[in-house]
Amino acid sequence: MDEFTPERLSRLSGMLKRRGIILPAFEIHGGSAGLYDFGPVGGRLRSKVSQTWIEHWQSLGNIVEISCPTVTPYAVLEASGHVGEFSDFLTDCLACGEASRADHLIENNHPNAESFSKSQLEAYIDEMEPRCPACQACDWGPVKAENLMFNTKIGAGSSGRPGFLRPETAQGMFTSFTSIYRHFRERLPFGAVQIGKGYRNEISPRQGMIRLREFNMAELEYFIDPEVDTHHDFSKWDKPVTLISQDDGEISMTFGEAVSKGIIRHGTVGYFMAWTMDFLTKVGIQPEGLRFRQHRPDEMAHYAQDCWDAEILGSYGWIECVGIAHRGCYDLESHEKATGQRLRAWRTFDEPKVIETNGWTTDGAKAGPAFRALAGKVKEAVEELDSDSCFPITLELQGELLEILPEHVKRNQKTETIAGEWFIPHVVEPAFGIDRIIWHLLDHSYLETQKSGENYCLLTLPEEVAPVDVCVLPLYEKDGMGVLAETIHRDLCSKKGVFSIYDASGSIGRRYARADEIGVPWCITVDHDSLFDNMVTLRQRDTGQQRRVAISDLSF
């Protein structure tokens, strides 16, 4: 890997903008922080990375793709906890009014500042007196929590309901659980993937593509039975990887070893970490610039049983690009409680169980006249009481205090045989930041060298994700060479999954250089001989090797 320096970063960013790969959005109107365009080359790159991601996970055989709205009702994100918890701490510069994330102001001295409480952040800012990034003043207002979701209204006029632009793709897959469960004939394990836009109103976007307000993300929700032991085959991943664990710090071992030793606490989490590594290296991430870091107790969500980040080394240091979390049953349980809709799976027992109950129920002849319209609710409440409950007892139902007397109840003794039970599945979730991954694969693929004494750069992108598959170059646009080249170009573009560009401007060497700069794996040159022997020169990007092939044998 090339050394990451500010100078190299500047050259890479300039090339990405100049060649239409990644560039600031709405620049003619002054732009807006945290918003970027994928240009005429970058748009194709994003599509190929996204499709590669989908196909990678669907190859497991029990994964389906769904697509949910990006506009999300308030109730959904209230149930998920985003309304109450999805916040960062900010503070305003009293000199210029610029808002800054409080933890960013002190992170050079405190690497885990994002886990600090409001009072801790205030204390450290007072102590360290950081400068405002905008005006260099040191005059900060109080630290306060700011919810990061974009507000919107669903519907017009007074009938409109509050909503948000979704901060993640996951919630639609949880609310669609019943449909996905039915699709898989009600048999676990299975998963759903979704890829698309997410929105977070970041307080102070920075580091280019690393922290965006609108971004591309891809998530997999994999539903499992927590009582079924998972046995995954880790034999194909026999090389050690770099892991940073809670207890042991940086270690090197295989995924299988880490699972067997309990460092990775669940087999499916370890399995998806291995599959994540395969995807990242497939699209161009260099293995030596990849590691997995386990969340510390103070940064892990309260419901998470384990969580690992795939971190990639690039021009901005080590950056989290994927999170693989065991989320337990939190999400489905939260939506079930909020809606009253069952979001469960059925577990059949190996052998039927005989259950004896010795509880309470109401005596309809006495309770009916006593409680009238509330008699049904009283019956439900009494049947939920412990078997050793004593009467009289007072219950609050629908805002009324009701006294349940001994004559209102009777013993409810019964024996029943049950074949299974309903349970809430647990979820393992790999969540990918597609924009961050694309940035890093460009960073890892960007190679600076020299040719004929001149600076020369190329993107060594894998063919799997190269935005342009082939470039067709007529040696000259005369004597029929341009016509033949155009014909080859159109034929290639008509093939499924192949994208060709035609370039006839400048010397052939300059055109090769332009193709290399955007990572085109193959160039086809049409020359005088091509008009007579129906053969062209095929050039490979990384080696520069050239060979003559028949036009009829071209396949990409």
Side-chain angles (χ1 to χ4, degrees), residues 24-309:
F26 313 119
E27 192 171 26
I28 64 171
H29 286 278
S32 180
L35 299 176
Y36 278 82
D37 287 339
F38 284 96
V41 176
R44 170 79 172 168
L45 173 63
R46 183 191 61 80
S47 295
K48 292 192 75 171
V49 170
S50 299
Q51 190 59 40
T52 301
W53 185 87
I54 292 170
E55 292 170 358
H56 180 75
W57 292 110
Q58 285 186 328
S59 68
L60 283 171
N62 62 345
I63 307 290
V64 293
E65 181 187 5
I66 70 170
S67 180
C68 303
T70 61
V71 178
T72 308
Y74 183 99
V76 174
L77 294 168
E78 182 181 41
S80 68
H82 285 84
V83 172
E85 301 293 336
F86 198 69
S87 302
D88 281 334
F89 289 112
L90 70 78
T91 179
D92 292 314
C93 174
L94 299 180
C96 72
E98 183 77 10
S100 293
R101 257 184 65 168
D103 58 308
H104 286 173
L105 296 173
I106 60 171
E107 64 183 357
N108 290 336
N109 298 83
H110 297 280
N112 63 336
E114 62 184 19
S115 65
F116 286 176
S117 67
K118 176 177 176 288
S119 59
Q120 286 176 306
L121 290 168
E122 286 178 330
Y124 281 120
I125 289 173
D126 288 343
E127 174 189 335
M128 296 169 54
E129 298 183 339
R131 296 288 178 182
C132 172
C135 72
Q136 298 303 303
C138 183
D139 187 9
W140 297 105
V143 173
K144 53 189 176 183
E146 178 83 2
N147 193 286
L148 301 182
M149 292 190 293
F150 282 99
N151 296 292
T152 188
K153 187 171 74 169
I154 304 172
S158 60
S159 65
R161 294 189 300 156
F164 300 97
L165 299 182
R166 67 183 182 192
E168 61 180 27
T169 60
Q171 297 309 315
M173 290 183 276
F174 297 130
T175 58
S176 298
F177 171 78
T178 302
S179 174
I180 304 167
Y181 182 50
R182 188 183 308 118
H183 173 84
F184 281 103
R185 302 295 184 263
E186 302 179 352
R187 299 183 66 178
L188 272 67
F190 59 78
V193 296
Q194 184 170 191
I195 191 164
K197 297 289 188 182
Y199 305 87
R200 300 182 184 182
N201 196 10
E202 292 285 351
I203 296 166
S204 51
R206 57 184 189 156
Q207 297 179 322
M209 299 292 289
I210 303 304
R211 195 171 297 279
L212 300 172
R213 286 178 167 139
E214 177 184 291
F215 49 90
N216 297 279
M217 63 188 311
E219 293 179 296
L220 161 61
E221 308 303 330
Y222 196 73
F223 301 95
I224 60 176
D225 184 339
E227 294 191 5
V228 173
D229 290 334
T230 55
H231 298 285
H232 297 288
D233 181 7
F234 288 94
S235 59
K236 65 178 281 191
W237 297 284
D238 56 357
K239 293 181 179 179
V241 295
T242 300
L243 304 174
I244 301 176
S245 75
Q246 282 183 9
D247 300 325
D248 303 313
E250 184 170 322
I251 55 178
S252 180
M253 63 175 58
T254 67
F255 291 112
E257 290 171 339
V259 170
S260 65
K261 292 181 178 180
I263 297 170
I264 299 174
R265 298 170 189 156
H266 194 279
T268 301
V269 172
Y271 193 61
F272 285 167
M273 288 168 66
W275 273 76
T276 294
M277 182 184 71
D278 284 355
F279 168 77
L280 293 174
T281 54
K282 181 192 301 183
V283 298
I285 300 302
Q286 300 300 316
E288 61 268 30
L290 175 64
R291 70 185 186 189
F292 292 86
R293 185 183 66 82
Q294 191 173 34
H295 279 207
R296 301 180 306 272
D298 63 356
E299 65 177 325
M300 196 179 299
H302 67 276
Y303 52 79
Q305 299 184 17
D306 198 12
C307 186
W308 291 78
D309 287 341

Side-chain angles (χ1 to χ4, degrees), residues 484 488 491-492 495 524 533-536 549-556:
L484 179 57
I488 294 171
D491 287 345
L492 289 171
K495 294 182 179 181
I524 295 171
D533 60 11
N534 287 318
M535 299 187 76
V536 292
V549 298
I551 295 173
S552 58
D553 291 338
L554 292 173
S555 61
F556 297 96

Side-chain angles (χ1 to χ4, degrees), residues 2 45 101 118 122 124 130 145 175 201 246 267 278 280 308 339 344 350-351 403 442 464-465 472 492-493 517 540:
D2 280 1
L45 173 63
R101 257 184 65 168
K118 176 177 176 288
E122 286 178 330
Y124 281 120
T175 58
N201 196 10
Q246 282 183 9
D278 284 355
L280 293 174
W308 291 78
T339 63
R344 302 189 174 215
D350 293 336
E351 294 183 5
E403 186 176 28
L442 290 167
E464 190 98 27
V465 296
V472 181
L492 289 171
C493 285
E517 195 173 39
Q540 206 278 332

Side-chain angles (χ1 to χ4, degrees), residues 358-364 367-368 371 374-397 402-412:
N358 183 24
W360 296 98
T361 190
T362 54
D363 183 339
F371 303 112
L374 291 175
K377 295 293 184 182
V378 171
K379 182 175 186 294
E380 291 177 5
V382 167
E383 289 179 349
E384 291 180 359
L385 295 174
D386 293 336
S387 61
D388 57 356
S389 297
C390 296
F391 298 89
I393 192 171
T394 302
L395 298 176
E396 183 178 356
L397 294 173
L402 303 177
E403 186 176 28
I404 315 300
L405 302 175
E407 61 263 30
H408 295 149
V409 298
K410 62 183 180 179
R411 278 291 180 184
N412 182 26

Side-chain angles (χ1 to χ4, degrees), residues 403-429:
E403 186 176 28
I404 315 300
L405 302 175
E407 61 263 30
H408 295 149
V409 298
K410 62 183 180 179
R411 278 291 180 184
N412 182 26
Q413 296 175 316
K414 60 182 180 180
T415 300
E416 60 180 331
T417 301
I418 59 175
E421 63 184 350
W422 290 99
F423 71 98
I424 302 178
H426 284 200
V427 174
V428 176
E429 177 197 74

